[in-house]
Amino acid sequence: MAEARDVAARLLQQLRPPAAAAAAAAAAASSAASPPPPPARLLCCRARHHASARGRAICSAPAASCTASIGFTAQAAGARSASLTLSATGATATVALSGTGTAPAPVGLNVDTGSKIDIGTVLAGSRVVRSITVAASGADILIAGIATTGTAFSIDPSSTCQTTAFMLTAGRTCTVVLVFSAMNDGTNTGTLTINSTAPSGPVAIDLSANVARPNAGSGGCSATGREGPADPLLLLLALASALLLWRRRAQARL
């Protein structure tokens, strides 16, 4: 059997074209001389962030890619810089990092009217409305309640700030609609107070207004009004009436 296989191989070799036989022989020789390629290895690197980032090993196959996520937590206000170093087998890459920390807004409760609201002089029976914007900064603030003193001052139900306890989120605002009802003549005073958990304590706004009544007529015919100089027209009418009365009396005597 072995002799038959050898004879068949020689016959096939003789039947092949010379070029094909030479190529097959060269391929066989090259395959025998070159070792088989090594198995694919993973490429590993470790990220090091010199501003307190925690590096961990990152591995990827050859010709592949991976993503390293970097976080920045500002511990204080101001600019900060750092670097990210990627080390791998036979290669190193460095990336510059920078960030800026800003100081947080101070915690407080602010109103846009300041500490005083002067409504001025209004006529008796008038109703005057003023809007007050309340803002929370730096943190959420619990507003325990909003109230007024002074019988002429009140808070309108259309206010978006509740008069009972509620939470005002940082950066948000609400509006207090203040109403003054001019009932009492003269000077009226009061206070709008906003109680909250703000470090500065309650917000107190002084309120004031003056009520005046319109000038009333004195009644009947008069050459002078209640106040101010006499009306010239009234003086002329009085003089004409006196002259006419004198003439009628003179004619009656004749």
Side-chain angles (χ1 to χ4, degrees), residues 220-225 229-241:
C221 295
S222 173
T224 61
D231 189 342
L233 181 58
L234 293 178
L235 290 175
L236 289 174
L237 289 174
L239 182 59
S241 298

Side-chain angles (χ1 to χ4, degrees), residues 9-54:
R10 286 195 296 270
L11 290 174
L12 289 174
Q13 186 68 26
Q14 292 175 359
L15 293 174
R16 284 183 181 177
S30 174
S31 175
S34 301
R41 295 189 305 168
L42 294 179
L43 178 65
C44 297
C45 60
R46 180 174 295 274
R48 296 195 303 274
H49 181 198
H50 301 299
S52 77
R54 298 176 180 175

